[in-house]
Amino acid sequence: MRAVVISQWGGPEVLTEVEADRPEPGLNEILVRVRAAGVNPVDWKTRAGGALIGWGETPMVGWDVSGTVEAVGPGVTVYRPGDEVYGMPHFPRQAGGYAEYVAAPARHFARKPASLDHVQAAALPLAALTAWQALVEGAGLQPGERVLVHAAAGGVGHLAVQIAKARGAYVIGTASAAKHGLLRGLGADELVDYRAQDFAEAVSEVDVVLDGLGGEVARRSLEVLKPGGRLVSLPGPGDVPAEAAERGVHASWMLVEPDRKGLEEIAALADRGLLKPMVDTVLPLEQAARAHEIGEQGRTTGKIVLTVA
Ligand SMILES: NC(=O)c1ccc[n+]([C@@H]2O[C@H](COP(=O)([O-])OP(=O)(O)OC[C@H]3O[C@@H](n4cnc5c(N)ncnc54)[C@H](OP(=O)(O)O)[C@@H]3O)[C@@H](O)[C@H]2O)c1
């Protein structure tokens, strides 16, 4: 099968297309014929220096996939060949999503939202599960609470805005001004142009902050939280501000996990028209390096997706 692998740690140019063995589905695994593969910051962070997976065999890159079940391994009862599924299998271990086939535990997938095509569905798993697990499960976001979503136009952010809105929250986002119209259309109640305004002065009395930026943004976010408020940090454990406890707020890092139940909740929201993935750029698998170049600029509105013919 065709697959894009990392030939060595480095820039986008180390992404190399190879002919690899088609994986076999083991016990409780399904073999998925990949139709589209989502691209995430963790993909280029891994490519640049092994953020999550170490060097051993040639690392295969990518986690988000949407496709069709080609075969099921012994013990699988939830899917049969021909079913359309989407997921983020094996994360944070190697999955090899930039390939024609992926084999992984059946319950790392869920049925693809019926209302979405494979490109739209591949835009969802990692980013939407992150937003779901951070806001709904981690922070326990309640109806009427005020949530601040940083990088609201990004892959995680634009889905977090919609998930928070669907939970009945009041949603505030940070984004450059050109993206405000789109975010209002997705349900944001209030937007801060972070280039023109200091968000920590523009926003206050927040119950939950979802921070995909880290550093100074994470530290200043403590100022906008109510006493007892919660900050969920995404970039890394080093971006959790140490002074949270002395300010009377909670701050923690979370790492997204494969989660069939969460994918089913996300699919249900999509099929009810409450969660729309925005796809910024679609490229064929062989242009994975170009996808990384675009993504690494950090200006993506929504997601980048690779199609796998
Ligand atoms: N812990 C986990 O499990 C987990 C899971 C998913 C993602 N993450 C991490 O979370 C971060 C975000 O991921 P992502 O997929 O959402 O990234 P992304 O799609 O690449 O984010 C791009 C967006 O960031 C916005 N942005 C950049 N600087 C900004 C600023 N100072 N203020 C407000 N918006 C800003 C850009 O909007 P403008 O063009 O308007 O600037 C752009 O729309 C990454 O570090 C990723 O690795 C962690």
Side-chain angles (χ1 to χ4, degrees), residues 64-207:
D64 275 343
V65 294
S66 181
T68 311
V69 177
E70 181 85 6
V72 302
V76 173
T77 55
V78 287
Y79 301 115
R80 59 182 62 174
D83 286 346
E84 297 197 307
V85 295
Y86 79 132
M88 181 199 67
H90 291 301
F91 189 86
R93 296 196 181 278
Q94 185 168 314
Y98 293 7
E100 285 182 307
Y101 292 92
V102 164
R107 285 169 203 270
H108 286 193
F109 298 89
R111 283 179 195 278
K112 178 180 80 64
S115 59
L116 302 184
D117 61 26
H118 285 296
V119 167
Q120 294 169 310
L124 282 174
L126 193 144
L129 279 176
T130 300
W132 180 268
Q133 291 170 9
L135 292 176
V136 179
E137 297 178 345
L141 185 67
Q142 297 300 312
E145 285 196 314
R146 287 164 61 81
V147 58
L148 171 62
V149 177
H150 282 301
V156 175
H158 85 290
L159 298 170
V161 164
Q162 297 176 74
I163 288 172
K165 197 68 198 165
R167 303 296 287 186
Y170 181 87
V171 184
I172 308 161
T174 61
S176 54
K179 300 181 178 182
H180 287 195
L182 181 130
L183 287 166
R184 280 195 202 286
L186 297 180
D189 296 290
E190 209 175 302
L191 290 154
V192 178
D193 174 6
Y194 70 92
R195 296 178 184 183
Q197 254 181 312
D198 177 357
F199 78 87
E201 285 176 12
V203 179
S204 61
E205 296 292 301
V206 166
D207 297 283

Side-chain angles (χ1 to χ4, degrees), residues 41 45 130 151 155-156 176 179 194 212-213 234 254 256 298-300:
K45 290 179 187 179
T130 300
V156 175
S176 54
K179 300 181 178 182
Y194 70 92
L213 295 167
L234 300 179
M254 63 81 71
V256 63
R299 300 273 83 88
T300 310

